[in-house]
Amino acid sequence: GWFLCHQFETEANWKFHNVTTGPEILADFEGKRLDYWVTGYGTGGTFHGAGKAIKAARPDVKIVLAEPEDAGLLASGVPTEHKPDGSPSASHPAFSAHPIQGWTPDFIPKVLHDAPMDMLLHELVPVPGAGAIATAQSLAAKEGLLTGISGGGTMWAALETAKKAPEGSVILAMLPDTGERYLSTPLFADIEADMNEEELEIATSTPSFQLVPGKEPVLAA
């Protein structure tokens, strides 16, 4: 058997974020400053549900929503036509393929369509695919945060927000993904499958623990 959860259409999606993700953010920032919350969208449930909770408690928080530059569905101003069950009638005319997996399908989900944009949305930020990938790589190399391409996209939008925000602003950007599932994607395209000489030197630098191609592993206690 099988079960279709209709995550793009069901109200349970955003309502769950309204009573979990949103309150969790509010609890973490209780008594603290929070000026901006930056997020992307897949189904739109986090933006819709958590956004409502945040705005209800702290209406001064500005919510920034990001979407791929190559698939500017919201930016186009063209709505998606939905079937009676809420599913899309057709692919959105503004959609094109983009590398930010998990973001922006080829339609505007009903969950996002039903969100009160006038109340929630402060700014819509288009994120270039290359910028999302580069930012994810930078987070890994400089901050030790192995996030996915969508995490890089969210951080890219947050950095752009920071450039325009008043000095001292507090910006929240959640990175709810990890990078190890993207090994076959453009995120790791610049990394060769085999180790180079520098990497081999590092691999043999610990006598008691070595995993060198073509040799028996050394796993001393």
Side-chain angles (χ1 to χ4, degrees), residues 50 66 78 116 152 158 167 182 199 203 218:
V78 178
E167 185 174 355
Y182 295 93
E199 290 166 339
V218 177

Side-chain angles (χ1 to χ4, degrees), residues 3 8 17 35 40 64 66 73 82 89 103 161 171 186 198 212 214 221:
F3 173 74
F8 292 100
H17 286 287
D35 300 292
V64 177
L73 278 56
H82 294 96
S89 299
W103 273 19
T161 299
I171 301 170
E198 181 183 4
V212 179

Side-chain angles (χ1 to χ4, degrees), residues 1 39 57 60 68 80 87 93 100 133-134 137 140 155 159 165 196 199 207:
T39 184
D60 292 338
T80 286
S87 61
I100 309 178
I133 292 170
Q137 292 170 338
M155 182 57 71
L159 292 171
N196 58 33
E199 290 166 339

Side-chain angles (χ1 to χ4, degrees), residues 93-110:
F95 179 83
S96 64
H98 62 84
I100 309 178
Q101 298 180 18
W103 273 19
T104 312
D106 67 335
F107 56 92
I108 299 173
K110 186 177 186 299

Side-chain angles (χ1 to χ4, degrees), residues 38 99-100 103 125-161 163 173-175 179 186-188 190:
V38 182
I100 309 178
W103 273 19
V125 176
V127 178
I133 292 170
T135 304
Q137 292 170 338
S138 181
L139 283 170
K142 298 179 179 180
E143 304 295 338
L145 298 174
L146 185 61
T147 186
I149 301 173
S150 59
T154 301
M155 182 57 71
W156 191 94
L159 292 171
E160 291 300 302
T161 299
K163 292 175 183 178
M174 299 187 300
L175 312 179
L187 183 59
F188 290 93
D190 294 336

